[in-house]
Amino acid sequence: MTIPSSITSWIPVPESSDFPIQNLPMGWATLPSGFSSPVTRIGDTIVAVGDLVNHGLLPPELAKVRAGWTALTKAELAQLRETLMNLYRSESEPYAELIQIETLLPLDQVILHTPVSIPAFVDFYSGIHHASNVGKMFRPDQPPLLPNYRHLPVGYNGRASSVVVSGTPIRRPKGQTKAPNDENPTFGPTKEMDFELEVGFFLHSGNAMGEPIEIELAEEHILGIVLVNDWSARDVQRWEYQPLGPFLAKSFGTTVSPWVIALDALEPFRVSGPDQEPAVLPHLKASTVGHFDIQLEVSLQPNGSEEASLLCQSNTKHLYWSFSQQLAHQTSNGTPTEAGDLYASGTISGPDEGSYGSMLELTWKGTKPITIQGQTRTFLEDGDTLTLRGFAQGDGYRIGFGEASGTVLPA
């Protein structure tokens, strides 16, 4: 259910908040009572959805949400959004004390977790500007894009066990690296710690082995969208990635925002993606618009500083492959997927330098250092805090994602 822009909430919502009543994101938190519960957010107020069940404020068929967001069908999730809207819209304020107070909590009184349990994690490479930049840097005598790029969403299987919620520190990894003129590799902390500006989607439901998800049905399997920072060790990656791709350079940590944004909330922000030439094969051709106009930004708070500075700005509309195409491709060989699986987009860079979504690009492989608050950076240093933000701007409101933030700890 898409909530009309004219509806407001009796819960205070700060101006330019990421979380008006039109959003109603899906999260999971430990409450002051010590119990864990599905939660949503309006402004800076947390709604304990599990407590709504305990107080009889949700229809009985929605009570199973206490087991997790994926316990509800897609139709029931839409019903839940409508119920929450009716409870918290401005017209319901006269009943607030009777029905809501015990279910509302200040944001700083809960501990947010990853919004769902994550069985598997796949990282795609769907940002065409990022892929082109990497090709220019590492294969200057060849075309920037490899021959398969415009025919299929390139991806690899990552580590679900190292996906963490925003605010979790990330320790600098160790690994093998080899300088161009060295005879043998060495082992030690990465010297090229990097971030990747991405978004991702969680699955609401999976598929049985041997039964691909058709592209026209792909969104029925998507729970919603989150911010993703797939931290990277570029020097480790450069040595290990041939011939099978990323491994230890990526698996040490991936940060996600704590809020899943439903596709219903993003419906007003659908846009056409880039023209896909040559035409994609039939199993990847969708009849509906599958991209979204979500503004993205990254800020860096350097070690020792008390404030952050903007690093880059981009937009999800720059993705070459849509979420539906990514999921249809993932299952096209019959691989089974599960509720809670996380699929990340790959780095989302735009066409100009200010929109590059990684330090690798912003400093062009370390050859063009940048200065932030008087400190020079080619890659991330210990103590640096990196924060991703994103929002879709509507008429008088925005649908935001909150933050995906992490601080680099020493190896």
Side-chain angles (χ1 to χ4, degrees):
M1 175 192 177
T2 301
I3 300 174
S5 60
S6 59
I7 291 179
T8 58
S9 175
W10 56 264
I11 295 176
V13 177
E15 187 176 357
S16 298
S17 171
D18 278 354
F19 302 102
I21 195 171
Q22 285 78 15
N23 195 336
L24 297 178
M26 294 167 277
W28 194 267
T30 298
L31 308 181
S33 63
F35 290 102
S36 294
S37 172
V39 293
T40 190
R41 178 175 176 180
I42 300 175
D44 293 328
T45 299
I46 297 296
V47 179
V49 178
D51 284 347
L52 290 175
V53 175
N54 298 337
H55 287 80
L57 297 174
L58 296 183
E61 63 271 21
L62 302 184
K64 56 189 174 182
V65 71
R66 286 180 295 190
W69 296 101
T70 59
L72 299 181
T73 67
K74 291 299 286 285
E76 289 167 341
L77 284 171
Q79 182 185 359
L80 177 58
R81 283 179 60 81
E82 183 174 11
T83 301
L84 292 170
M85 177 196 70
N86 288 329
L87 288 173
Y88 298 108
R89 64 189 300 173
S90 295
E91 290 82 355
S92 300
E93 185 173 8
Y95 307 99
E97 291 189 20
L98 294 175
I99 63 174
Q100 322 291 351
I101 298 304
E102 294 183 35
T103 69
L104 302 180
L105 294 162
L107 179 61
D108 60 6
Q109 289 188 13
V110 304
I111 300 172
L112 294 169
H113 307 288
T114 53
V116 297
S117 178
I118 306 171
F121 168 50
V122 170
D123 191 34
F124 282 102
Y125 196 47
S126 295
I128 191 169
H129 297 294
H130 173 73
S132 297
N133 287 336
V134 170
K136 292 173 185 176
M137 279 185 268
F138 292 103
R139 300 185 302 276
D141 55 343
Q142 302 176 40
L145 297 176
L146 292 173
N148 65 352
Y149 190 87
R150 293 180 181 271
H151 293 277
L152 58 84
V154 176
Y156 70 92
N157 287 297
R159 288 290 301 176
S161 59
S162 56
V163 177
V164 295
V165 74
S166 177
T168 306
I170 300 294
R171 189 165 297 281
R172 179 180 296 272
K174 296 179 181 180
Q176 284 193 22
T177 60
K178 183 180 180 298
N181 296 324
D182 289 348
E183 183 177 353
N184 295 304
T186 58
F187 181 80
T190 176
K191 297 180 177 66
E192 298 182 9
M193 182 79 163
D194 203 355
F195 73 94
E196 291 190 334
L197 172 58
E198 307 189 27
V199 296
F201 61 89
F202 283 113
L203 282 198
H204 168 266
S205 58
N207 60 301
M209 188 168 181
E211 298 181 6
I213 295 174
E214 302 295 334
I215 191 164
E216 301 295 354
L217 301 176
E219 288 193 0
E220 289 300 310
H221 292 263
I222 294 176
L223 179 67
I225 313 301
V226 293
L227 298 173
V228 178
N229 178 3
D230 195 29
W231 303 85
S232 299
R234 298 298 184 185
D235 45 359
V236 177
Q237 181 178 355
R238 192 160 52 246
W239 170 238
E240 74 174 6
Y241 85 101
Q242 297 186 55
L244 294 180
F247 190 49
L248 299 185
K250 298 279 194 175
S251 61
F252 62 93
T254 301
T255 300
V256 296
S257 51
W259 301 107
V260 182
I261 311 304
L263 295 185
D264 281 350
L266 294 170
E267 189 64 32
F269 308 101
R270 286 187 184 268
V271 294
S272 298
D275 291 336
Q276 294 187 322
E277 293 290 341
V280 300
L281 295 174
H283 71 290
L284 293 176
K285 185 173 180 60
S287 62
T288 57
V289 173
H291 284 68
F292 297 88
D293 182 5
I294 302 170
Q295 300 179 47
L296 303 170
E297 67 178 39
V298 179
S299 61
L300 174 63
Q301 182 176 334
N303 182 27
S305 174
E306 295 184 358
E307 60 183 31
S309 295
L310 185 68
L311 266 184
C312 65
Q313 294 175 300
S314 190
N315 195 295
T316 57
K317 65 186 179 183
H318 296 310
L319 288 172
Y320 190 78
W321 298 101
S322 70
F323 304 139
S324 292
Q325 288 175 316
Q326 292 167 25
L327 183 56
H329 177 65
Q330 164 71 13
T331 64
S332 61
N333 68 342
T335 186
T337 61
E338 299 179 71
D341 282 359
L342 173 63
Y343 297 87
S345 62
T347 304
I348 307 174
S349 295
D352 55 72
E353 291 185 6
S355 62
Y356 292 169
S358 65
M359 295 294 285
L360 177 69
E361 296 166 273
L362 290 168
T363 68
W364 207 252
K365 203 170 60 173
T367 63
K368 299 179 180 179
I370 58 177
T371 300
I372 303 171
Q373 299 179 28
Q375 299 190 39
T376 301
R377 292 289 184 274
T378 52
F379 292 93
L380 299 175
E381 302 290 340
D382 293 346
D384 287 352
T385 299
L386 203 288
T387 301
L388 278 58
R389 296 182 179 86
F391 65 90
Q393 185 61 53
D395 183 12
Y397 74 101
R398 64 169 53 173
I399 300 297
F401 288 72
E403 298 182 349
S405 182
T407 300
V408 179
L409 299 180

